[in-house]
Amino acid sequence: RRRAQARHVAPSSALRTDLLEGCGAMAGFATIAALDEHSFVYGCLHDVAAAAPAAPAAASGGAVPAKLVEECKKAGEAVAAAKKSGASKEDVAAKVEKLLALKKQITALDPDHALAIVDKKKKAKAAPVEEKKGLSKREQKRLARGEDVKKKKKDKDPNRWAVDPAKAAAKAEKARLKALAKAEAEKADVKAIAPPTPPGEKKILAEQMSRTYNPGDVEAAWQDWWEKSGWYGCDEKQALKRPADEKFVMVIPPPNVTGSLHLGHALTAAIEDCLTRWHRMRGDATLYVPGTDHAGIATQSVVEKMLAKQSPPVSRHDLGREKFLEHVWAWKGQYGSRICTQLRRLGSSVDWSRERFTMDDRCAKAVTEAFVRFHEAGIMYRASRLVNWSCALKSAISDLEVDHLELNGGELRTVPGHGSTKYQFAMFTEFAYKVIGSDEEVVVATTRLETMLGDVAVAVHPKDPRYKHLHGKKLKHPFFPQRDVTVVTDDILVDMDKGTGCVKVTPAHDPHDYDCGKRHSLPFMTIFSLDGRVVNQCTPFSVTGGSDYPVETFPDWVAGSMRYDARVLVEKKLDELGLLRGKSERPMTLAVCSRSGDIIEPLVQPQWFVDCTGPAKRACDAVRDGSLRIRPKMHERTWFKWLEDIRPWCISRQLWWGHRIPAWFAFRKGESRDNVDVDAERNKERWIVARSEEAALAKAQKLLGTKEVTLERDEDVLDTWFSSGLFPFSVFGWPDDTDEFKAFYPTQLLETGLDILFFWVARMVMMGLQLTDKLPFTDVYLHAMVRDKDGRKMSKSLGNVIDPLEVIDGCPLAQLVDKLKAGNLRASEVKRAEEAFKSDFPDGMPRCGTDALRVGLLAYTVQGRDINLDIKRVVGYRSFCNKLWNAVRFMLGTFDDYKASQDLWKTLKPLAGRDKFILSRLRRCVLDINTCLTEYKFGEAVQAIYHFFLDDLCDVYVELVKPVMYDADKAGAGRDSAKQCLWACLDAGLRLLHPLCPFVTEELWQRLPRTFSVSSIMVAPYPSEKDVASFDDQEAEQGTSLVLETVTGARSLRAQYALANKPAHFHCVFSNDAERASILEGRKDDCSTLMRAASVSIGNNVSPPKGCGQKLVDDKLSVLVDLKGLVDADAEIKKLQKELKTVEPLVAKLEAKIKDERYLAKAPEKQRLQDQEKLKSYGDKANAARAAIKQWEEFKSGGDGGGDDEDDFWGDDEDQTPEEAAAAAKELEEAKAK
């Protein structure tokens, strides 16, 4: 119906669409949606008289006045025009409302009028108008081909439904066998269900292996047994007796207690546990120490948000410090174990009896001792310096907690603490300072206009001729008449080729200006309060000591405003004063607090600092002299660059959760903070650092010369990285000289991500050298940063953070989304993360298990600096575990009653070439994996074991020994040797794989049939080079390689001639290569097995048989298959002729098209290239079909089917001339290409 109506309004279809879209987009007009859209639009745009013959007037209303009709038409045109012109929704709605009112009037007067509102439901009930049907497309095609339009019906066999007794019997037999197989499978499934294992006991295995790999069942119970058995621990008394090269000690990079592990942590755990299990199996004294970090800012933020969600909301200031800390400890007790659960699920073989928390008593003692020793050494001090300040947290933060956003210019952003207002960033604003006593002005530019309130100088380059006459001149500050802004010269801060060559200097709010202020002894003005408001008054100060400065009062129009509101106010005021000179977009980097999202404000604040110059030099020297090795080596350059230009480390934080600084300020009787400036330079000696308050009081009394002293402890806590930097030795009892400390310190390896090379690794090295005079570890391995598949950083706000347990256990999409909504993310972040999950996992996260996750992550380490992790690829490694499970299940079924003896490895002597081959490949695998793990090449280790298990063992050796295992005629020494070799490969292969996939290897290794008892694979010896040295057999490997090349040729022939599994006779013919012919003759049985051949003949310099298909393997070997009786030449020719009949018209059509002058003149270059490629493709197909037809014709007439001159190719070529040899070589290449 609508298509019929559309024919009447075609000239105005675009307008009709715009009008309908405009109406449909407006909320509140439900009535319009019920209108007949044809009547609605057509009546608005066309003359009534022309549209239809006049209808008789309705009984209720009479005739419609022409004026009303005209008004309605104009109203419809107005709606369409408004929509087209992009008018506001309100304007369009008003015009539609007017149109609707007019149409209601017309409807009341004449319901059948063309402009009346038509009820679509009533109209739909009307009988459809029958239209005369024309020919269908199929009938038109038949007519064009000259065929009958109406297709003749085929005569159907009246007995076609009759039952064929033979077929019915076969079908019934097939169903019976299928039912029997299903019953047997169900019976086997029952036997594959393992009984429950008591916690901590060795797993009770099912009677039979499950037919499918189920990671949940396979991984159950093993972790509890490993832990209870004590294999994760290491006795310090025994470790004391071992030399350093027989020990492997490593501490875990303590993850934050605030949340759960993500895939970056999972990669860390996979690498570290792989190395730990490898060293343990090698017999080293092995210890892997777990722990968690208290994460000062993160934990306090989480608990504060939790309290804010209570009813009524509570702040930490409402509770007070002690009560708030009780809430934090309670939160830690409730949620802090999540990480430990995840580590256990990841199979981490850490010694849980030594687990540490950076706020526990042992670590707290070490923190206090380190602080005091640093202070006594003179490298710890309290001073006012520039720090990263978060106004939202009201605390200094470390560089690691700062994210740097790249802005293109002119971007609008909200700022915490500023409400919902958006502010423009990355704008370069130019304004002028007037030179005092002159009409000149100096123009400066800045992206942080609000900081001009703290300007004290303008810097120019000393060699810039434009400003030489202004050196030392004073400029007038537009808002502070009493403040002189001095012109200073600075060749470090200023690049005279950029901008105006003048740089405003705000020493108290910019790192570069801070250094400039120190170089020129400029006054420093802190213009913002700790919460980011413009101060009412400010007293300039000097960080280098010097004159006192008068107090400055800020103007009322800006005092008390938030810093980015101040930016707007300052720009407006400068414009009013005529000092604004321009504004443009400028790309910039914006520093943002990763915890609060607040924009970092550099502020000068009194803080505790550590002078790292001396320790940093020792850390650099350790790398240079080789005592500390950083791998990959490319990161050494970054190490030197950072440490050689190191700045004092700000270690204090304005928080409540953390190690409170062990420093007290000493007040005399009658003194307090009201009358003593505790931050003043003159009072810095009153800050007493001690191990306890009692010791501090004794020091203070001695310093002040009186007993009447009161102490007030510093409210601040230490940077989280301070306690983490002590982790490698605080976990072993330092500063006490315990057996643990002597046995396990220094450790051997520190493995972590390269992103914390400076923040943690370098600080551990510096603190270890300073406090213990030893390196905390001898090797550092830095794995790549884990990013998502698009190269983005893993971030909650992006929604691309994946919990390892979600990969291990699988996770429905709804649960992923619910987890996001239950967290502390903002609504916008939840929406973004939800969209990301729906895009990547529309059906939820599939279950793949711990082993697949570990080996998948380890396989990714072959990449460079960053890992762009596609979780779907990690999930794909579940198929590796599945293949391993099924392969071992099959191999175990071949052993029958065979059980390996304890001395098998000593007596193992392979007999057949295939046995020698697999043991030689096992030797190569052992060497490769040990080398890879030594050099931290985990990706290559995964590829080595993958290649051995699936390619060498399953695809080659198992296929070669199947006849030996199952053919009753081949029982004997050969079968026994094959079983011994297969058992040895499974035993060694599973032990090789265990550090990468601990659970499935334990399950499978326990099932190997043996005459002796074993404990666990994790304490079984790791295969070493000396264990397999005798298996080296390059001849066997070369022989098998020749077999595989030959088999590949035979399989190509099977595919080429569609032989499938038909028994075929193959001939392997060499040309002047008696040596390889002899080798292959000795492996004829293996060739026959893999070729599935009825027979195999091998010859050198022999003529090929007639009627064969041929495949060239190399320049001296060809494989032929006897096609007689296997293929129907006539059927093949008919098939090829049919293909040729299809392709040739396409070739002719394209050739004609390409030669057409109009095509050559008008067709774009891209189209011509595509057509030429199509023509080449079709031509190649046609030529190939013709050549194949020719070969089949020759085959029918008794030729060899190979298409080569046998006398030239197979004859003796010793007497060939150089020209004949060259021609023969050319012919060979052509034959190979064919």
Side-chain angles (χ1 to χ4, degrees), residues 27 207 403 425 520 915:
E207 183 179 343
D403 292 333
F425 289 87
H520 297 281
D915 300 335

Side-chain angles (χ1 to χ4, degrees), residues 848-918:
C848 53
T850 298
D851 289 320
L853 174 61
R854 284 172 60 127
V855 76
L857 290 171
L858 290 171
Y860 257 109
T861 58
V862 297
Q863 295 187 20
R865 191 178 184 87
D866 288 340
I867 293 175
N868 292 345
L869 181 69
D870 186 353
I871 190 63
K872 293 179 181 179
R873 180 182 164 190
V874 174
V875 171
Y877 274 91
R878 185 188 189 279
S879 64
F880 167 70
C881 296
N882 187 56
K883 289 177 182 177
L884 176 69
W885 177 268
N886 289 327
V888 175
R889 177 171 170 266
F890 169 79
M891 291 181 227
L892 291 178
T894 66
F895 288 131
D896 296 328
D897 296 330
Y898 173 78
K899 293 184 179 181
S901 62
Q902 197 161 4
D903 60 351
L904 178 138
W905 283 96
K906 298 176 182 177
T907 60
L908 184 61
K909 294 191 180 300
L911 298 179
R914 54 181 170 267
D915 300 335
K916 296 174 182 178
F917 156 76
I918 195 61

Side-chain angles (χ1 to χ4, degrees), residues 40 967 989 1134:
F40 179 54
D967 192 341
K1134 188 175 180 181

Side-chain angles (χ1 to χ4, degrees), residues 1163-1170 1172:
E1165 180 68 20
K1166 183 178 179 181
Q1167 181 64 45
R1168 291 202 298 267
L1169 290 174
Q1170 289 177 350
Q1172 288 170 3

Side-chain angles (χ1 to χ4, degrees), residues 183-238:
E184 288 294 326
E186 290 175 352
K187 186 177 179 181
D189 286 344
V190 172
K191 293 182 178 180
I193 299 175
T197 301
E201 298 299 318
K202 185 176 181 178
K203 184 175 181 179
I204 302 173
L205 299 178
E207 183 179 343
Q208 293 182 2
M209 288 180 67
S210 170
R211 290 181 299 162
T212 57
Y213 170 67
N214 187 328
D217 295 339
V218 171
E219 295 166 8
W222 291 119
Q223 181 73 19
D224 292 341
W225 178 54
W226 290 334
E227 281 187 43
K228 186 177 179 181
S229 299
W231 291 317
Y232 289 174
C234 183
D235 182 64
E236 53 263 30
K237 291 183 173 58
Q238 294 296 323

Side-chain angles (χ1 to χ4, degrees), residues 83 175 321 422 481 793 1088 1140 1169:
K83 174 62 180 174
R321 186 169 191 142
K422 290 189 175 183
K793 183 179 179 181
S1088 179
L1140 197 59
L1169 290 174

Side-chain angles (χ1 to χ4, degrees), residues 254-255 257 291-297 299-300 321 324-326 328-329 332 355-368 655-661 713 716-724 726-727 730-731:
V257 73
T292 50
D293 190 276
H294 65 277
I297 294 176
T299 305
Q300 181 163 312
R321 186 169 191 142
F324 175 75
L325 291 179
E326 289 178 10
V328 180
W329 278 107
K332 191 265 177 187
E355 181 187 357
R356 297 262 69 87
F357 177 53
T358 53
M359 284 279 285
D360 63 22
D361 292 340
R362 175 177 277 193
C363 291
K365 181 179 180 180
V367 166
T368 300
L655 304 171
W656 286 358
W657 172 247
H659 292 281
R660 195 166 176 183
I661 291 176
R713 188 168 185 175
D716 294 349
V717 299
L718 287 166
D719 179 10
T720 299
W721 296 104
F722 190 90
S723 53
S724 298
L726 306 173
F727 201 70
S730 64
V731 296

Side-chain angles (χ1 to χ4, degrees), residues 1195-1217:
F1195 175 75
K1196 284 175 61 180
S1197 63
D1200 63 3
D1204 295 313
D1205 187 330
E1206 62 183 65
D1207 292 332
D1208 288 341
F1209 184 72
W1210 297 104
D1212 192 346
D1213 61 0
E1214 291 181 357
D1215 298 327
Q1216 283 182 325
T1217 65

